[in-house]
C-alpha cells in the first residue's frame, strides 16, 4: 500500500473495513434491521474511497442485498467533503467538519434521476470510538419532513 497522503491526516481514523448491524425507520416504510460493511481506503492521493453495502438479516431473506453506495471523502478548504453515488439514481454532495474522530456532514446537494425516489436533503454523522464506527443518517424524502432514517454500529475488521 502506498504511503498516506498528508491531506488525509484529519480523516485517517476512518481507514479500514467496518462491519456490523443497523436499523432503519421512516414513515413510508416498515422498520427494518440490516447487516452492513463499510470500507474507507486510500491509494496515496488526497482522498479516501468510500464503499458501503448492506444486506438483509431476517431469516427468510438473509443475505439478500439491500443498498449500496460509493464515493470519495476529502479534506479541502477547511471542510470535509463527501461525494456519494447510489445505484438507485441518487447522488449526494456533503460538506462538514471533523472534530477529533467525529464527522458532521450536511447535504449541499442531492439529486436524482427521473426514476429515483424523491430525496431532497440528507445529513450524516459518523463517530469512531476505538474500534467502533457509529453513524446516523437523517433525510427529507417523498414529501416527509427531515427526520431519522438509519443508524448502525460497526466494528473494525482486523
Amino acid at each position: 500500500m502506498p504511503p498516506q497522503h498528508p491531506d488525509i491526516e484529519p480523516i485517517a481514523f476512518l481507514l479500514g473495513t467496518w462491519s456490523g448491524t443497523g436499523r432503519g425507520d421512516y414513515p413510508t416504510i416498515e422498520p427494518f434491521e440490516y447487516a452492513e460493511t463499510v470500507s474507507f481506503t486510500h491509494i496515496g492521493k488526497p482522498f479516501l474511497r468510500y464503499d458501503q453495502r448492506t444486506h438483509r438479516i431476517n431469516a427468510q431473506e438473509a443475505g439478500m442485498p439491500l443498498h449500496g453506495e460509493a464515493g470519495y471523502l476529502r479534506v479541502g478548504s477547511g471542510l470535509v467533503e463527501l461525494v456519494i453515488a447510489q445505484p438507485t439514481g441518487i447522488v449526494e454532495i456533503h460538506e462538514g467538519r471533523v472534530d477529533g474522530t467525529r464527522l458532521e456532514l450536511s447535504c449541499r446537494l442531492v439529486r436524482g434521476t427521473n426514476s429515483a425516489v424523491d430525496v431532497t436533503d440528507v445529513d450524516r454523522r459518523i463517530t469512531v470510538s476505538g474500534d467502533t464506527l457509529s453513524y446516523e443518517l437523517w433525510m427529507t424524502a417523498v414529501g416527509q419532513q427531515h427526520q431519522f432514517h438509519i443508524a448502525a454500529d460497526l466494528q473494525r475488521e482486523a
Side-chain angles (χ1 to χ4, degrees):
M1 180 165 292
Q4 276 184 201
H5 193 284
D7 288 359
I8 69 168
E9 176 78 28
I11 55 175
F13 64 92
L14 294 167
L15 285 168
T17 299
W18 310 79
S19 296
T21 59
R23 63 179 175 79
D25 195 8
Y26 209 68
T28 59
I29 58 175
E30 292 293 319
F32 60 97
E33 294 183 344
Y34 57 94
E36 178 170 18
T37 300
V38 169
S39 66
F40 292 93
T41 57
H42 77 91
I43 59 168
K45 297 289 188 178
F47 58 82
L48 298 183
R49 167 123 174 119
Y50 163 73
D51 287 292
Q52 182 262 16
R53 300 289 177 267
T54 63
H55 62 270
R56 296 186 187 278
I57 57 176
N58 66 8
Q60 295 172 318
E61 300 175 310
M64 291 202 49
L66 279 173
H67 181 74
E69 46 190 52
Y72 297 93
L73 187 64
R74 67 186 187 142
V75 180
S77 304
L79 295 173
V80 176
E81 303 167 349
L82 174 63
V83 177
I84 294 175
Q86 300 177 24
T88 56
I90 296 171
V91 295
E92 301 172 31
I93 297 175
H94 295 267
E95 290 181 339
R97 303 237 178 253
V98 62
D99 181 11
T101 58
R102 180 179 172 94
L103 290 175
E104 299 243 358
L105 300 162
S106 295
C107 197
R108 182 173 166 97
L109 174 78
V110 61
R111 291 289 189 265
T113 62
N114 287 333
S115 64
V117 170
D118 182 32
V119 177
T120 57
D121 194 22
V122 179
D123 290 318
R124 297 169 182 256
R125 289 189 190 135
I126 303 168
T127 303
V128 173
S129 179
D131 285 330
T132 301
L133 181 149
S134 301
Y135 74 83
E136 297 175 340
L137 182 145
W138 291 264
M139 72 178 184
T140 307
V142 294
Q144 300 296 312
Q145 63 186 6
H146 197 68
Q147 60 194 287
F148 170 81
H149 178 43
I150 56 173
D153 291 314
L154 311 175
Q155 302 303 307
R156 188 188 307 264
E157 295 182 0

